[in-house]
Amino acid sequence: MKRVFLETYGCQMNVADCELMAGVLERAGMELVQRPDDADAVILNTCAIREHAEQRVLGRLGEFAHLKLRNPALIVGVAGCMAQHLRKRLLDQKRVLDLVVGPDGYRNLPDLLRRAASVPVAELRLDRDETYGDLEPRRGAGVRAWVTVQRGCDKFCTYCVVPYTRGRERSLPIAELLGQVERAAAQGFREIVFLGQTVNSYHDGAHDFADLLRAADRVAGVLRIRFTSPHPSDMSERVVAAIAECEKVMPHVHLPLQSASDPVLERMQRSYTLAGYDAVLGRIRERVPGVAVSTDIIVGFPGESEADFLATRDYMRGARFDSAFLFKYSARPDTRSFKMPETVDEPEKGRRLQALIDQQHQISGEIHDGWIGREVQVLVDGPSSRGRGDAQAQLHGKSREFKTVVWADDGARPGTLRRVKVVGATPVTLLGDSAEAPHEAQLVTIGDRAG
Ligand code: 5AD
Ligand code: SF4
């Protein structure tokens, strides 16, 4: 058992967990391979946030079942949130699955894999103390390093499966995190992204998220710092001040709203009212001039009336988010809202979703048009996926506001900062001096973004 193929679904935390698993496996002498056909074991790192995410994984498992017919010694494992969520139900699929491991079981992954070679194995204990703080991840290529500062969630929003799949909230000690940031910078990563389910509720007993931002801001070699996702209720004055005052902390905040109707927010148990959210948003915009703000919205939550929906639509129209991730409500077993009768049928959810997509598209387009003629500072990611046909080679990177910028390849190296004049825009991309084929990223991801 040597060669392992890892594939990840869901949020950025899962991507970071894969890097953690990769580190654990490599230290145990195992090799990571790029294709399932080359592997002795395949592990899917899964998401449970919406039913659609689980269906995709089940489809992929079907493909691995075929592979296993050809290679009966192949070990097939499911890791992550769906493993934790479906637990024994997954193990019952005995013909295919050899390993089911939840988010707190990765430390012993090599051993679990070895055991799974002879008998199906499940490791699904949630461990209040497991932070993996001492385990060095094997970071993927690129200019951006993900640093998980906190695991689990204590908020228990009624629609959300995360507290059940990832367990209670726990923060890593600040010293360990700063060590990770320093090592990532020494390895050449230029942007640090702090990750947590409610990242701004970070507290290691002595330091809060503001302390973490301010300390990371002083690490040499780091050019930019980002974080996702904060919770509106934990957006303290201290945190807003740190975002405003730290030079390397970028002016972009992803602030999930979910709904702009107070009765819906109440049933979601989001712990804020619309007025409370709006005050936080106002404070951020006042203290961080030019800040870009993105959000998450769920349509069709149980009991969401037409008036509730219109309140959300109208608030979004006034708030003018730079972008929004828009989702149809998906009832998840184990959560509290699972027991609430669904009142919005599928076609109506689709109609509400589409109305918000159209409106947001318009707003994002207008905001991006406003950038035309201005210069942006871009951290260069690298070559852009080629445009149409014989289009000229292009580079892409992110502006300080986390907007994707594409421009004609001028030899700028990945990981460097570059000033680019904006000459064109789409609702999803800013185009630099070359007005060549736009790089069509996704503004609105339905079902894929998570966490
Ligand atoms: N149905 C639909 N969307 C959900 N989200 C979380 N749980 C659900 C669910 N059950 C969305 C929220 C969250 C984002 C990561 O996913 O908007 O902020
Ligand atoms: Fe798990 Fe939630 Fe991330 Fe999905 S979005 S992988 S459920 S933490």
Side-chain angles (χ1 to χ4, degrees):
M1 232 304 303
K2 275 213 100 43
R3 293 164 304 171
V4 183
F5 172 77
L6 278 174
E7 183 167 280
T8 195
Y9 293 80
C11 63
Q12 217 47 56
M13 302 269 300
N14 261 18
V15 175
D17 279 359
C18 260
E19 296 185 345
L20 192 87
M21 287 189 240
V24 169
L25 294 171
E26 281 188 346
R27 278 190 295 278
M30 296 180 179
E31 183 195 343
L32 292 157
V33 296
Q34 300 300 316
R35 288 165 12 111
D37 301 87
D38 299 334
D40 305 311
V42 296
I43 301 175
L44 290 185
N45 192 20
T46 61
C47 174
I49 200 130
R50 282 169 289 271
E51 197 182 343
H52 175 71
E54 290 191 344
Q55 278 163 355
R56 282 177 63 204
V57 167
L58 291 174
R60 188 69 168 137
L61 278 178
E63 293 172 26
F64 289 152
H66 281 288
L67 205 58
K68 207 174 159 103
L69 284 178
R70 278 190 274 136
N71 172 14
L74 180 74
I75 291 172
V76 179
V78 171
C81 291
M82 184 177 163
Q84 197 70 39
H85 190 222
L86 295 184
R87 292 181 279 269
K88 298 288 179 219
R89 270 169 282 170
L90 270 178
L91 269 186
D92 287 344
Q93 306 206 339
K94 280 204 191 65
R95 283 172 309 120
V96 182
L97 277 184
D98 307 288
L99 172 64
V100 180
V101 52
D104 288 343
Y106 303 150
R107 185 177 288 276
N108 301 320
L109 201 53
D111 186 45
L112 297 172
L113 278 171
R114 278 184 213 108
R115 280 167 35 207
S118 40
V119 29
V121 173
E123 174 55 278
L124 294 163
R125 269 169 305 189
L126 286 175
D127 181 344
R128 266 169 192 276
D129 299 320
E130 181 58 278
T131 61
Y132 302 117
D134 55 323
L135 300 181
E136 198 64 19
R138 214 271 334 249
R139 300 191 188 283
V143 304
R144 217 160 268 120
W146 318 103
V147 176
T148 304
V149 307
Q150 162 205 71
R151 302 187 67 87
C153 182
D154 281 353
K155 290 283 193 286
F156 287 94
C157 303
T158 55
Y159 52 79
C160 187
V161 78
V162 172
Y164 307 95
T165 63
R166 286 185 171 267
R168 296 290 63 71
E169 178 181 326
R170 58 227 113 115
S171 294
L172 280 82
I174 198 167
E176 267 167 24
L177 295 174
L178 291 174
Q180 282 201 37
V181 172
E182 282 161 9
R183 285 190 293 279
Q187 287 164 22
F189 292 96
R190 291 292 163 254
E191 182 166 296
I192 300 294
V193 187
F194 288 132
L195 299 178
Q197 292 301 335
T198 55
V199 70
N200 55 339
S201 69
Y202 172 86
H203 206 292
D204 75 350
H207 308 94
D208 69 0
F209 191 60
D211 294 325
L212 178 62
L213 289 178
R214 288 184 190 277
D217 194 51
R218 292 191 289 268
V219 175
V222 173
L223 298 179
R224 292 178 164 189
I225 299 166
R226 302 185 186 278
F227 55 90
T228 198
S229 289
H231 191 287
S233 302
D234 292 316
M235 208 39 116
S236 63
E237 288 289 349
R238 282 175 53 82
V239 170
V240 176
I243 297 170
E245 290 162 22
C246 291
E247 214 179 302
K248 296 176 185 172
V249 175
M250 291 294 103
H252 169 230
V253 178
H254 182 72
L255 198 66
L257 168 63
Q258 313 301 0
S259 166
S261 152
D262 280 340
V264 174
L265 287 171
E266 168 92 39
R267 282 200 301 283
M268 289 177 164
Q269 292 197 9
R270 283 293 286 173
S271 78
Y272 53 81
T273 59
L274 179 62
Y277 178 95
D278 195 55
V280 171
L281 178 61
R283 198 182 318 137
I284 293 171
R285 284 181 162 162
E286 184 190 316
R287 293 296 313 279
V288 190
V291 67
V293 183
S294 51
T295 196
D296 289 343
I297 301 285
I298 298 174
V299 295
F301 187 78
E304 185 189 70
S305 66
E306 179 69 8
D308 294 324
F309 164 69
L310 291 176
T312 301
R313 191 199 64 183
D314 293 348
Y315 181 76
M316 290 178 75
R317 186 177 291 165
R320 293 181 72 76
F321 295 105
D322 286 78
S323 63
F325 295 91
L326 307 166
F327 306 105
K328 288 191 226 172
Y329 171 71
S330 169
R332 308 308 293 136
D334 294 344
T335 63
R336 277 184 248 180
S337 69
F338 189 70
K339 296 184 199 82
M340 301 179 190
E342 286 222 46
T343 55
V344 186
D345 64 20
E346 205 43 41
E348 179 57 18
K349 278 185 200 171
R351 187 192 68 83
R352 293 181 185 182
L353 183 71
Q354 193 57 48
L356 294 190
I357 290 175
D358 293 344
Q359 173 178 280
Q360 187 59 45
H361 206 67
Q362 165 95 27
I363 293 169
S364 298
E366 288 166 8
I367 291 175
H368 280 186
D369 284 348
W371 280 92
I372 295 176
R374 295 165 67 186
E375 261 190 11
V376 283
Q377 185 208 55
V378 181
L379 178 64
V380 182
D381 277 303
S384 173
S385 50
R386 275 308 263 293
R388 278 152 283 214
D390 57 355
Q392 195 189 349
Q394 293 183 317
L395 294 177
H396 75 109
K398 293 282 188 214
S399 76
R400 291 167 54 82
E401 300 76 15
F402 206 55
K403 296 186 181 297
T404 300
V405 184
V406 178
W407 70 102
D409 191 343
D410 52 4
R413 291 211 322 281
T416 58
L417 293 175
R418 175 95 175 76
R419 297 212 70 89
V420 175
K421 174 103 182 269
V422 180
V423 295
T426 77
V428 290
T429 312
L430 299 180
L431 308 171
D433 13 43
S434 144
E436 285 290 349
H439 169 87
E440 284 298 330
Q442 282 268 293
L443 161 72
V444 179
T445 314
I446 301 141
D448 283 354
R449 186 200 167 265

